[in-house]
Amino acid sequence: MSDFTSDFWHLYVAGLTVVSIIACLILLWISGTTKVKASGDNTTGHVWDTDLREMNNPLPRWWVYLFVITVIFALVYAALYPTLGSYKGTLGWSSAGQHADEVKKAVDATAPLYAKFNGQPPEQLAGDAQAMAVGERLFMNNCAQCHGSDARGSKGFPNLTDGDWLYGGAPDVIKTTLQGGRQGVMPPMAAAVGSSEDVRNLAQYVLSLSGSPHDSIQASLGKSKFGACAACHGVDGKGNTAMGAPNLTDGVWLHGWGADAIIKMVNEGKHNVMPAQKGKLTDDQIHVLTAYVWGLSNKPAAK
């Protein structure tokens, strides 16, 4: 990617723009000054389809004037706006700056509404129909891409409606997750577990923890190997919300159910990322979104 961030490319774009404008002027000049020797009937001698002849007339004035206006517009635009490579233009305009201005206007316009919500704790706000309507729109615009429009998630993306939380489902924890994001890391553990047979036995033991169908003999052999997993998931397999380690006893499988899925996880590990929303959303928006997400699994009565 370094080739696309060098100083060469902005000079290339600027040069290409200038050459294109000059080429248009040259084309206009050639078209207006080049004379073609005409025959007695004022044609160039070019004939198509037997009777279609090219007349030797000058370019229409209106067309020439429009062409000149277009070139002048291009020169004025290039001076005012960032057209020539890294040149910023005399107006100092940028798409990022315009977006920031529009976001600020939107934030200022909705500030009175959020001020009313800001004084309420998430548990109370989750019962406010107006706040939840706002929260739903925030969710659809910023969260539904991963968690789904119904918030039920999919493979690799948590279901936010079932009450099963990797880091805990308290409003302050949800707000922390929204603000700073999360980095979920399951390291490859096959070397710590032992042989491939040990990994298969461990997978059967993990299935047994949630009461899932499993091979009881293999599970009994794999129980001793679970010590490599207990540091994160706990000796009882109930997980650890402080580090986001899943509860293996509840039958909720974020990355797929079954022995094959567990074996793959032990052998390859997994790295999940929940992106931080702070900076993208205001503190007031995160507060309302926290209440909305908390309400998905707690279902408070709407007011």
Side-chain angles (χ1 to χ4, degrees), residues 193-206 208 214-227:
V193 171
S195 66
S196 58
E197 182 67 23
D198 290 330
V199 172
R200 287 194 290 271
N201 292 338
L202 174 62
Q204 293 299 320
Y205 176 71
V206 171
S208 74
H214 62 280
D215 185 305
S216 58
I217 297 177
Q218 285 186 299
S220 64
L221 294 173
K223 182 176 181 178
S224 62
K225 299 299 179 179
F226 190 74

Side-chain angles (χ1 to χ4, degrees), residues 138 142 178 277-286 289:
L138 290 171
N142 300 280
L178 289 171
Q277 301 299 308
K278 189 173 181 61
K280 181 181 179 183
L281 300 176
T282 67
D283 290 340
D284 291 342
Q285 289 174 325
I286 289 177
L289 185 55

Side-chain angles (χ1 to χ4, degrees), residues 107-163:
V107 169
D108 292 343
T110 57
L113 176 64
Y114 283 108
K116 181 178 71 171
F117 299 148
N118 208 24
Q120 304 178 53
E123 297 90 337
Q124 179 182 344
L125 198 59
D128 186 312
Q130 184 183 29
M132 291 304 91
V134 174
E136 182 181 21
R137 297 321 308 162
L138 290 171
F139 183 88
M140 290 297 181
N141 290 333
N142 300 280
C143 311
Q145 296 87 342
C146 294
H147 295 283
S149 59
D150 59 359
R152 294 184 180 278
S154 61
K155 186 177 180 180
F157 301 99
N159 181 347
L160 303 179
T161 69
D162 60 3

Side-chain angles (χ1 to χ4, degrees), residues 60-99:
R61 290 294 180 186
W62 64 268
W63 187 91
V64 174
Y65 293 149
L66 283 178
F67 207 114
V68 171
I69 290 172
T70 300
V71 172
I72 293 174
F73 174 83
L75 293 172
V76 173
Y77 186 93
L80 297 177
Y81 293 95
T83 305
L84 303 175
S86 62
Y87 173 65
K88 298 184 182 302
T90 57
L91 295 180
W93 178 91
S94 69
S95 58
Q98 180 176 339
H99 176 262

Side-chain angles (χ1 to χ4, degrees), residues 217-289:
I217 297 177
Q218 285 186 299
S220 64
L221 294 173
K223 182 176 181 178
S224 62
K225 299 299 179 179
F226 190 74
C229 313
C232 294
H233 296 282
V235 293
D236 56 0
K238 291 186 179 297
N240 186 342
T241 56
M243 24 186 345
N247 181 350
L248 303 178
T249 69
D250 59 6
V252 177
W253 302 92
L254 179 59
H255 298 287
W257 175 86
D260 290 342
I262 297 172
I263 291 171
K264 181 181 172 94
M265 184 71 72
V266 173
N267 286 332
E268 301 177 9
K270 181 68 70 173
H271 184 194
N272 256 21
V273 177
M274 155 71 189
Q277 301 299 308
K278 189 173 181 61
K280 181 181 179 183
L281 300 176
T282 67
D283 290 340
D284 291 342
Q285 289 174 325
I286 289 177
H287 181 67
V288 174
L289 185 55

